[in-house]
Amino acid sequence: MEKYSLPEDDTFKKWQKRLKVTWFIGLVLIIFASLGISLVWNREGSAVSKDILSVTDVKRTVEQSGLSLTSNSMVSPADYKMAQVEPQIYEIKNFDGMLFIYKFTSIGERDTIYDQWQDTNEKKSNGSNLNMFSPKWQYNRAYAAKNTIIVVCLSQFPGEEYAQKISPRLRNLGKAIFYNLNEGQQIVYRGEGNNWRGKVIVNYYNHFWTDDKGVLRDDCWNHRQPVMEFKGDPGNIQGDFSYEFKSAIDEFGGTDSKGFDASRFTGNDSAANYGGVILGFGGIGGSGAMPPKDNVYTLTVKWNNKQENFDLKASE
């Protein structure tokens, strides 16, 4: 901060005016600094860095994603128990849906109760995966976040028009849960050949916890998204097309007899990139190990009787 000497009597008015200007500039800088901090916080979210989440943690994160919640007294928590755990229930305003938040004592209890609940539902419904949510809500999606399970229920299955309305909100919700509650991370592997550019976008999280026998366990999840771009005219790729991403730890790819469909490999952001499963179909959380940053993918592309190989490495 700039310092001033004690003014003489004949310069007092000048000094007073200068002080007012300095004070005003300082106030403006403070305001802008505060605004900058606020913008950074809102852009990056507020990750909850603790092993045990509360219902308040989850609710706050859901609201930060852009959804407006209000408590619902018309739906009984006792009707939607998992084992003996009753959910906190909220109505999602302007969404035609409901939110259920289940809080367990640990990740281990979460997994055990969910697996038992899912097995019971399969037996009751003869393998059709109907559950207690099905009669009222056609579509339900569940997210695992440490010791909690978050279920979003919609009264209708998302058709094309309805999906356009809710897809951005579900994507934002998934991102908020992934980054703020699961402390998720992203690695992007990039590479380029003479004819093709490629990326693998990997979103992942990894939590370590100790079970009741003192054994250290982890809850990990990842999602790989392939991105490919042909440097020429993709419409010229006819007939058989295939691609394969291969590394020391995994490999995946595909084929298409109708050429290269560029729209499938654009890297568009979607709710699937951040976790969540259709409730009752498969496990929740805990799938896929954390990828090492020094992992190297080799992309092999075959098209128009040609072939190209090049490596993809993690970018900073």
Side-chain angles (χ1 to χ4, degrees), residues 108-169:
E109 184 186 64
R110 179 202 76 186
D111 289 345
T112 298
I113 290 179
Y114 179 80
D115 290 344
Q116 292 173 348
W117 175 84
Q118 183 172 242
D119 289 343
T120 300
N121 282 333
E122 287 182 355
K123 293 176 182 177
K124 287 182 177 179
S125 61
N126 294 320
S128 65
N129 283 308
L130 295 175
N131 54 62
M132 56 198 175
F133 299 98
S134 303
K136 288 188 177 181
W137 296 284
Q138 295 182 18
Y139 177 87
N140 44 68
R141 191 174 186 89
Y143 299 85
K146 296 180 181 175
N147 61 299
T148 69
I149 291 177
I150 303 143
V151 183
V152 179
C153 296
L154 305 178
S155 60
Q156 57 180 305
F157 196 85
E160 183 176 353
E161 182 178 350
Y162 187 49
Q164 290 179 353
K165 174 184 175 183
I166 68 166
S167 290
R169 299 180 184 180

Side-chain angles (χ1 to χ4, degrees), residues 156-226:
Q156 57 180 305
F157 196 85
E160 183 176 353
E161 182 178 350
Y162 187 49
Q164 290 179 353
K165 174 184 175 183
I166 68 166
S167 290
R169 299 180 184 180
L170 286 177
R171 181 181 64 245
N172 289 341
L173 174 63
K175 290 176 73 171
I177 293 172
F178 175 75
Y179 285 113
N180 294 358
L181 296 181
N182 279 316
E183 301 170 66
Q185 301 289 327
Q186 183 181 89
I187 302 177
V188 181
Y189 301 88
R190 305 174 189 268
E192 183 173 348
N194 293 326
N195 300 281
W196 294 85
R197 297 184 183 92
K199 289 194 299 187
V200 179
I201 302 172
V202 182
N203 290 340
Y204 70 93
Y205 64 76
N206 198 52
H207 310 306
F208 292 96
W209 56 281
T210 303
D211 66 16
D212 54 5
K213 296 181 180 179
V215 178
L216 184 66
R217 301 185 180 276
D218 65 340
D219 177 48
C220 52
W221 175 90
N222 72 46
H223 176 272
R224 302 168 309 189
Q225 183 180 15

Side-chain angles (χ1 to χ4, degrees), residues 43-148:
R43 183 172 65 250
E44 296 182 354
S46 53
V48 182
S49 299
K50 56 185 182 182
D51 296 332
I52 300 298
L53 299 173
S54 68
V55 171
T56 301
D57 294 328
V58 176
K59 181 176 180 289
R60 183 184 301 117
T61 294
V62 171
E63 291 177 328
Q64 286 173 347
S65 78
L67 299 182
S68 181
L69 305 180
T70 182
S71 297
N72 188 285
S73 59
M74 303 299 292
V75 180
S76 172
D79 294 337
Y80 296 90
K81 291 194 298 185
M82 288 188 184
Q84 299 304 312
V85 178
E86 294 186 357
Q88 292 287 324
I89 305 173
Y90 300 92
E91 181 181 354
I92 307 175
K93 295 181 181 179
N94 302 320
F95 201 69
D96 195 22
M98 303 290 290
L99 183 80
F100 296 77
I101 302 174
Y102 294 86
K103 177 181 175 294
F104 304 93
T105 60
S106 66
I107 292 175
E109 184 186 64
R110 179 202 76 186
D111 289 345
T112 298
I113 290 179
Y114 179 80
D115 290 344
Q116 292 173 348
W117 175 84
Q118 183 172 242
D119 289 343
T120 300
N121 282 333
E122 287 182 355
K123 293 176 182 177
K124 287 182 177 179
S125 61
N126 294 320
S128 65
N129 283 308
L130 295 175
N131 54 62
M132 56 198 175
F133 299 98
S134 303
K136 288 188 177 181
W137 296 284
Q138 295 182 18
Y139 177 87
N140 44 68
R141 191 174 186 89
Y143 299 85
K146 296 180 181 175
N147 61 299
T148 69

